[in-house]
Amino acid sequence: MKIVVLDGYCLNPGDLDWKGLEALGECIVYDRTSLTDMEEVISRIGDADIVYTNKTPMPREVFEKCPNIRFVGVLANGYNVVDVNTEKDKGIPVDNIPTYGTASVG
């Protein structure tokens, strides 16, 4: 299984590690990925099965050009960066972190 994290710096600015994901398969973590250059997004995802994003958009074009995607995790509390209609059409589950920041905001 291949796992790609598109903008890992948002979640881990250096004080954590990715060993949990690395134990599941090949794991590639990019600190930041372009918010506008979809060719960069597509090339980084490539043939990945699992993709994690925080701020990097994943429109329909990404799913059409990266057909191996089987799961998308949004490392935030919303879904606005992911074309959830395309995911639904393709049967790809998407999940987020609904309690992200709750303790610090409360």
Side-chain angles (χ1 to χ4, degrees), residues 41-94:
V41 175
I42 291 163
S43 70
R44 288 184 172 190
I45 293 172
D47 61 350
D49 303 287
I50 296 174
V51 179
Y52 287 96
T53 186
N54 181 286
K55 302 196 181 326
T56 304
M58 293 182 63
R60 177 175 290 275
E61 173 187 9
V62 170
F63 292 98
E64 290 173 351
K65 294 187 177 179
C66 300
N68 287 0
I69 298 173
R70 300 290 171 251
F71 172 80
V72 174
V74 180
L75 302 172
N77 61 354
Y79 294 102
N80 59 312
V81 296
V82 179
D83 184 339
V84 292
N85 291 323
T86 298
E87 284 186 288
K88 185 177 179 180
D89 292 346
K90 293 183 174 287
I92 301 170
V94 61

